[in-house]
Amino acid sequence: MTQADDHHSVPEDAKRPDIMADIYAEDGSIRSDFLAMVGAAIGDRDVLFLRQNVARLHESELGDLLESILPEQRHAMVRLLGSDFDMTALTEVDEAIRLDIVEQMPNDQIAAGIGEMDSDDAVYILEDMDREDREDILAQMPFTERVRLLRALDYPESSAGRRMQTEFVAVPPFWTVGQTIDYMREEEELPESFSQIFVVDPTFKLVGALDLDRLLRSKRQVKIETIMHETNHPIAAEMDQEEAAQLFEQYDLLSAAVVDDNGRLVGVLTIDDVVDVMQEEAEEDLLRLGGVGDEELSDSIAVTSRSRVPWLAVNLITAFMAASVIGLFDATIEQIVALAILMPIVAGMGGNAGSQTMTVSVRALATKNLDIHNASRIIRREAGVGLLNGALFGCAIGVIAGLWFNDVNLGGIIATAMLINMFAAALAGIIIPLLLDKFGADPAVSSAVFVTAVTDIVGFFSFLGLATWWFGISG
Amino acid sequence: MTQADDHHSVPEDAKRPDIMADIYAEDGSIRSDFLAMVGAAIGDRDVLFLRQNVARLHESELGDLLESILPEQRHAMVRLLGSDFDMTALTEVDEAIRLDIVEQMPNDQIAAGIGEMDSDDAVYILEDMDREDREDILAQMPFTERVRLLRALDYPESSAGRRMQTEFVAVPPFWTVGQTIDYMREEEELPESFSQIFVVDPTFKLVGALDLDRLLRSKRQVKIETIMHETNHPIAAEMDQEEAAQLFEQYDLLSAAVVDDNGRLVGVLTIDDVVDVMQEEAEEDLLRLGGVGDEELSDSIAVTSRSRVPWLAVNLITAFMAASVIGLFDATIEQIVALAILMPIVAGMGGNAGSQTMTVSVRALATKNLDIHNASRIIRREAGVGLLNGALFGCAIGVIAGLWFNDVNLGGIIATAMLINMFAAALAGIIIPLLLDKFGADPAVSSAVFVTAVTDIVGFFSFLGLATWWFGISG
């Protein structure tokens, strides 16, 4: 193959002499014709087709495929592929789908599949399994691998120790560049890929790290200790994965050493795992703000329903509190029905303004951009925005309501109530998340309920209260 | 320094013989005593202190510091530090702060600072500047760097070409491993750090790529073309940065070649830039769902207020639509004031249920987990959840309302209305985002308004309509 040929051929085709180079349609979903062919092959038990066209997929493509076919097809496909099924794909699918597939697989197939995976992926699959199955699978694995996996599984859930890879390259500081390169050329048992090597003392305590580009630029006789850098950000195995992810983001790390309590190197955390953690955290924040717990698209109706009940239940309480505020003014509403018609506008607009402020506050707290140094400035800003938009929309709503019911007084009352409620909404939207955060609660989970309660109650009370006072109605 | 000494000393201290090793307090904000010292040093024009304690900070730490001090202090500090000010820190601060600092800096200082940066960071700072200033700065730079930066700036905003680094290592396919390593040992002008080298033909067309670990494991006489891999995911310079980020995430890439229309290598996109893009996108999604545009914490009251007006304005319209639905039943409310008291509960609970479904749908669309293959299953699931939770909360609310107003009929009516509205909320929460996505609108921006409109209108109409019909009231 000449160099020119190599370029002009489409690389995908060159590498994959198969039915289709790209299994994705324009919109990012898997092409329907590919799904149809896979479905037919599963139906016909066409192992050859599956080996040629499914087994060669990238793990994330195989994961997408598993998510796009029916549960029965999934099980049949995994059975038909046998040892050609790349279990790493299970790290790319929903938890419910993963557990469903794993439950159907015989433990010896799982043990064989896991033996071929990086330890971090293996742990990801093992950690969600039944204790019994897990022990059975581990018992079928070679001693050293079993010990490594057990050590990682020993660390708390969502810790750096669970996400780390236990395969890494470590050399002593007195080696030369030449010795190190020769070692890597000879050694068979190197990790599949790495961008950094670590420097350890005889007791395996971490001394430093060395990026491969630095190694490659140095002459053979140079000693490792003279070109290594001290690891300013070694990650304790017990550290929460989210905290570790923030270190990666702040210091633009590609990989980082994970050390135990004694400073001994136990693994390496790599950016690809961290990216997954960051995506998960961002997703969790968004779902929590929307009043949804840890749910997945593959969850059943019953599971989904149950996960959404808590927020609705809390909301039920605050809704009745708001209703009882309206109840205080039943005599007023009886006399002026227009108030009942207009009051949801005051509460609703306030709710929206409050949720705007709250979204910004919760996000800024999560990214640590909101702290004691700028909190008072942001509170002042939000109060200002609340007054400004309150005045603006108060006037607009006042004019429309005044014209609608042909009543200047009503227009003035709703305008004033709007201003009050949007100011309250702004303050609630920033102060409630700040307080929740200060007292150790997750502002993403609980802010929305409290902010809505404030804007409903202040909205109804200010509007109906002002009207009762202005029109001189007594209950 | 012996190896044992090296380990037992705290690495941070060893590297930074300065006032404090860690400038952050427990909560992630910058320590107040550090801020006080920096403030005093700025006041006393203590250049020595700033050079020793500020200039040595990591770019992201310096960025956090800039965000935590007053605007006047920022300008004074940048002036005092002069050429010791690491301009890369400007890529870590809010846009408003960046522009404010850059405007105060003389163009020749900017040109000198940018000359020392990676091209991707330089472009990040240049792209937001005035055309005039930018041209003046570029004119002061050496020819090759100017050409590189101009080429990157030529690509569309938010494209891979804007985010790429134009410094990379490229070698011909017929070189040996030994030649390549020798080249890297001799060459002075290598990128600051890299984890991959690229293989190009004489016209600079991309032929393949090679990870450094693969290079290090191979013997000196091995030819590059035999160990390189074809680049299955070369990124077109015009590709949107978000699309590029998805490729990185899907295929766990650490860096990827960026090519022009002719397949020529023009730059490299690295995971650290992609992480920033992913964080930005996640943040945008969250803010949009909360009805907030592209706003930053450093924006002024006027700018913030203006950015939040559009959503509030749309909401104003839907709020009046909902109010006019209530208006249809003014005769009913006049007779039974309890309806006015209870109706916000029906609308509010529906709104919350709708926003739960909507949050899940919008997120799943953004991560491409919701597509034509599973849409109908998810719609059925959401409808089921809506009916189940509707029945549950309908009963609860019916009982409470019935007891409160001592009226069984009222309890039955609100229970039925609740069931109807939560079913409608579930359908609206999934179908509206799907339709918006299908017609090319961003579901994150616009779903909330429509979903709330549906739950308000259906809530008021079903509750008041059922009551009017049941109690036989005519308007």
Side-chain angles (χ1 to χ4, degrees):
Chain A
M1 182 170 70
T2 71
Q3 178 189 322
D5 280 341
D6 181 34
H7 174 76
H8 286 292
S9 70
V10 183
E12 305 269 307
D13 280 345
K15 202 178 165 190
R16 295 179 178 169
D18 48 62
I19 302 228
M20 34 192 90
D22 190 351
I23 63 164
Y24 294 102
E26 276 288 296
D27 68 348
S29 65
I30 295 194
R31 285 171 57 171
S32 308
D33 48 352
F34 184 69
L35 281 182
M37 282 188 282
V38 170
I42 293 170
D44 300 342
R45 312 179 130 273
D46 184 350
V47 177
L48 192 66
F49 178 95
L50 294 176
R51 272 201 203 128
Q52 279 175 351
N53 295 286
V54 173
R56 56 84 189 171
L57 293 177
H58 184 274
E59 59 205 49
S60 68
E61 295 170 340
L62 182 53
D64 286 340
L65 176 63
L66 286 170
E67 288 190 337
S68 299
I69 59 180
L70 301 170
E72 313 83 72
Q73 292 182 310
R74 269 176 221 144
H75 300 143
M77 192 170 84
V78 171
R79 257 198 318 277
L80 290 168
L81 281 171
S83 62
D84 286 328
F85 173 64
D86 178 6
M87 278 190 63
T88 314
L90 294 180
T91 63
E92 308 270 346
V93 300
D94 260 14
E95 189 183 353
I97 295 178
R98 179 165 62 247
L99 288 176
D100 176 52
I101 294 176
V102 167
E103 267 164 30
Q104 299 280 329
M105 284 173 77
N107 281 349
D108 56 338
Q109 191 187 347
I110 298 177
I114 276 182
E116 290 182 9
M117 294 164 75
D118 283 340
S119 65
D120 52 343
D121 293 329
V123 167
Y124 193 80
I125 290 174
L126 286 169
E127 67 182 357
D128 289 331
M129 296 183 68
D130 290 339
R131 198 190 164 79
E132 218 173 290
D133 281 329
R134 187 162 72 200
E135 280 169 4
D136 185 35
I137 289 164
L138 284 167
Q140 299 184 42
M141 302 191 67
F143 177 75
T144 42
E145 282 189 50
R146 181 165 67 236
V147 171
R148 281 181 167 189
L149 293 176
L150 280 172
R151 183 161 62 177
L153 284 165
D154 241 17
Y155 290 112
E157 225 180 303
S158 304
S159 67
R162 281 282 179 98
R163 293 284 78 79
M164 72 186 180
Q165 202 174 311
T166 53
E167 300 93 358
F168 50 79
V169 180
V171 299
F174 51 81
W175 275 20
T176 63
V177 167
Q179 260 177 305
T180 307
I181 294 180
D182 291 343
Y183 162 75
M184 288 195 271
R185 286 189 180 141
E186 307 293 318
E187 177 65 41
E188 304 270 308
E189 294 269 303
L190 290 179
E192 221 183 282
S193 71
F194 54 97
S195 60
Q196 203 178 33
I197 62 174
F198 298 101
V199 188
V200 291
D201 75 6
T203 65
F204 241 75
K205 283 192 180 166
L206 183 67
V207 178
L210 182 59
D211 293 328
L212 295 189
D213 60 323
R214 189 75 204 275
L215 184 71
L216 277 165
R217 282 183 233 204
S218 307
K219 310 253 182 230
R220 278 186 72 86
Q221 64 275 19
V222 170
K223 288 224 165 179
I224 294 294
E225 59 193 341
T226 63
I227 52 170
M228 72 181 193
H229 58 266
E230 279 145 26
T231 45
N232 289 318
H233 314 287
I235 287 170
E238 260 91 17
M239 184 187 277
D240 186 76
Q241 57 180 10
E242 199 178 346
E243 212 181 312
Q246 273 166 359
L247 279 181
F248 267 74
E249 212 203 338
Q250 173 142 33
Y251 297 108
D252 287 341
L253 307 177
L254 289 182
S255 63
V258 180
V259 295
D260 68 10
D261 294 343
N262 301 313
R264 282 198 190 82
L265 183 64
V266 289
V268 52
L269 201 61
T270 52
I271 182 85
D272 54 317
D273 300 315
V274 170
V275 165
D276 293 341
V277 170
M278 286 192 274
Q279 296 286 73
E280 272 169 40
E281 300 293 342
E283 185 155 341
E284 266 177 40
D285 280 355
L286 188 130
L287 293 179
R288 281 177 188 158
L289 260 183
V292 186
D294 292 335
E295 72 172 56
E296 313 219 17
L297 271 192
S298 55
D299 286 344
S300 67
I301 291 180
V303 171
T304 311
S305 161
R306 211 179 311 130
S307 83
R308 295 194 195 162
V309 160
W311 203 61
L312 291 173
V314 178
N315 229 98
L316 181 66
I317 299 168
T318 60
F320 270 101
M321 282 164 57
S324 63
V325 170
I326 305 175
L328 298 175
F329 302 100
D330 53 352
T332 313
I333 293 173
E334 215 158 21
Q335 288 186 35
I336 313 168
V337 178
L339 296 176
I341 296 171
L342 292 172
M343 66 185 186
I345 297 177
V346 181
M349 290 291 290
N352 287 321
S355 92
Q356 287 181 326
T357 304
M358 179 196 73
T359 305
V360 173
S361 314
V362 168
R363 183 64 200 161
L365 281 169
T367 55
K368 303 209 184 281
N369 284 325
L370 179 58
D371 55 40
I372 46 162
H373 304 305
N374 60 3
S376 67
R377 189 179 67 77
I378 304 290
I379 293 175
R380 279 198 306 276
R381 184 190 77 160
E382 289 301 330
V385 172
L387 284 176
L388 196 58
N389 283 351
L392 191 71
F393 284 96
C395 287
I397 292 171
V399 169
I400 302 172
L403 290 172
W404 183 0
F405 294 97
N406 198 17
D407 184 337
V408 179
N409 291 316
L410 198 59
I413 289 168
I414 198 171
T416 314
M418 240 4 278
L419 179 65
I420 294 171
N421 201 27
M422 285 184 72
F423 182 62
L427 290 181
I430 174 100
I431 291 173
I432 289 173
L434 276 172
L435 283 179
L436 288 169
D437 186 60
K438 195 173 170 68
F439 292 113
D442 181 351
V445 179
S446 21
S447 292
V449 185
F450 291 114
V451 172
T452 316
V454 168
T455 54
D456 274 0
I457 290 171
V458 172
F460 293 136
F461 192 84
S462 61
F463 181 51
L464 298 176
L466 275 173
T468 307
W469 166 73
W470 183 263
F471 294 116
I473 297 163
S474 55
Chain B
M1 182 170 68
T2 72
Q3 179 189 322
D5 279 342
D6 180 33
H7 174 74
H8 286 292
S9 70
V10 182
E12 306 269 308
D13 281 346
K15 202 177 164 192
R16 295 179 178 169
D18 47 62
I19 301 227
M20 33 192 89
D22 191 351
I23 62 164
Y24 294 102
E26 276 290 296
D27 67 349
S29 65
I30 294 194
R31 286 171 56 172
S32 308
D33 48 354
F34 184 69
L35 280 183
M37 282 189 283
V38 170
I42 293 170
D44 301 343
R45 314 179 127 269
D46 185 350
V47 177
L48 192 67
F49 178 95
L50 294 177
R51 275 204 200 125
Q52 277 174 353
N53 295 287
V54 174
R56 58 83 189 172
L57 292 178
H58 184 275
E59 60 205 47
S60 68
E61 294 171 338
L62 181 53
D64 286 341
L65 175 63
L66 286 171
E67 287 189 336
S68 299
I69 59 180
L70 301 171
E72 313 83 72
Q73 292 182 310
R74 271 176 219 143
H75 299 144
M77 192 171 81
V78 171
R79 255 199 317 277
L80 290 168
L81 280 171
S83 62
D84 286 328
F85 173 63
D86 178 4
M87 277 190 65
T88 315
L90 295 181
T91 63
E92 308 271 346
V93 301
D94 262 14
E95 190 184 350
I97 295 178
R98 180 166 59 249
L99 289 177
D100 176 51
I101 294 176
V102 167
E103 269 165 29
Q104 299 280 327
M105 284 174 78
N107 282 349
D108 56 336
Q109 190 186 349
I110 299 177
I114 276 183
E116 290 181 10
M117 293 165 77
D118 283 341
S119 66
D120 51 343
D121 292 329
V123 167
Y124 193 80
I125 290 175
L126 286 170
E127 68 183 356
D128 289 334
M129 295 182 69
D130 289 340
R131 199 189 161 79
E132 218 172 292
D133 280 330
R134 187 163 71 200
E135 281 170 3
D136 184 35
I137 290 164
L138 284 166
Q140 301 185 38
M141 302 190 68
F143 177 75
T144 42
E145 281 190 52
R146 181 166 66 234
V147 171
R148 282 181 166 189
L149 292 176
L150 280 172
R151 183 160 63 176
L153 283 165
D154 240 16
Y155 290 111
E157 224 180 305
S158 303
S159 67
R162 280 282 180 99
R163 292 284 79 79
M164 73 186 180
Q165 201 173 312
T166 51
E167 300 92 359
F168 49 79
V169 180
V171 299
F174 51 80
W175 275 21
T176 63
V177 166
Q179 259 178 304
T180 308
I181 294 181
D182 291 342
Y183 162 75
M184 287 195 273
R185 286 187 181 143
E186 307 294 318
E187 177 64 40
E188 304 268 309
E189 295 269 302
L190 290 178
E192 219 183 284
S193 71
F194 54 98
S195 61
Q196 205 178 32
I197 62 175
F198 297 100
V199 188
V200 291
D201 75 4
T203 64
F204 241 73
K205 283 191 179 164
L206 183 68
V207 178
L210 181 59
D211 293 328
L212 294 189
D213 60 323
R214 190 77 203 276
L215 184 71
L216 277 165
R217 283 182 232 205
S218 307
K219 310 254 183 227
R220 279 187 71 87
Q221 64 275 19
V222 171
K223 287 223 167 178
I224 294 294
E225 60 193 340
T226 63
I227 52 169
M228 71 179 193
H229 57 268
E230 280 146 25
T231 45
N232 290 318
H233 314 288
I235 287 170
E238 259 92 17
M239 184 185 277
D240 185 77
Q241 57 179 10
E242 199 177 348
E243 212 180 311
Q246 273 166 358
L247 279 180
F248 267 74
E249 212 203 339
Q250 173 142 32
Y251 297 107
D252 287 341
L253 306 177
L254 289 183
S255 62
V258 180
V259 294
D260 68 10
D261 294 343
N262 301 313
R264 282 199 190 83
L265 182 63
V266 290
V268 52
L269 200 61
T270 53
I271 181 87
D272 55 317
D273 299 315
V274 169
V275 166
D276 293 341
V277 170
M278 286 192 277
Q279 296 286 73
E280 272 169 40
E281 300 293 341
E283 185 156 340
E284 266 178 39
D285 280 356
L286 188 129
L287 293 179
R288 281 177 189 159
L289 260 182
V292 186
D294 292 336
E295 72 172 55
E296 313 219 18
L297 272 192
S298 54
D299 286 344
S300 67
I301 291 181
V303 172
T304 311
S305 161
R306 212 179 310 134
S307 83
R308 295 194 193 163
V309 161
W311 203 61
L312 291 173
V314 178
N315 228 98
L316 181 66
I317 299 168
T318 61
F320 270 101
M321 283 164 56
S324 64
V325 170
I326 305 175
L328 298 176
F329 302 101
D330 53 351
T332 313
I333 294 173
E334 215 159 20
Q335 287 186 38
I336 313 167
V337 178
L339 296 176
I341 297 171
L342 292 171
M343 66 185 188
I345 298 178
V346 181
M349 290 291 290
N352 287 320
S355 91
Q356 289 181 326
T357 305
M358 179 196 74
T359 305
V360 173
S361 313
V362 168
R363 183 64 200 160
L365 281 169
T367 55
K368 304 210 183 279
N369 284 325
L370 179 58
D371 54 40
I372 48 163
H373 304 304
N374 60 3
S376 67
R377 190 179 67 76
I378 304 289
I379 293 175
R380 280 198 306 276
R381 183 189 79 159
E382 289 300 330
V385 171
L387 284 176
L388 196 58
N389 283 351
L392 190 71
F393 284 95
C395 288
I397 291 171
V399 170
I400 302 173
L403 289 173
W404 184 0
F405 293 98
N406 199 17
D407 184 337
V408 180
N409 291 316
L410 198 60
I413 288 167
I414 198 170
T416 314
M418 233 15 271
L419 179 65
I420 293 170
N421 201 27
M422 283 185 73
F423 182 63
L427 290 181
I430 174 101
I431 292 173
I432 288 173
L434 276 172
L435 284 178
L436 287 169
D437 186 60
K438 196 174 169 64
F439 292 112
D442 181 350
V445 180
S446 22
S447 291
V449 184
F450 292 114
V451 172
T452 316
V454 168
T455 55
D456 275 359
I457 290 170
V458 172
F460 292 136
F461 192 84
S462 61
F463 181 51
L464 298 175
L466 275 172
T468 305
W469 166 74
W470 182 263
F471 294 115
I473 296 163
S474 55

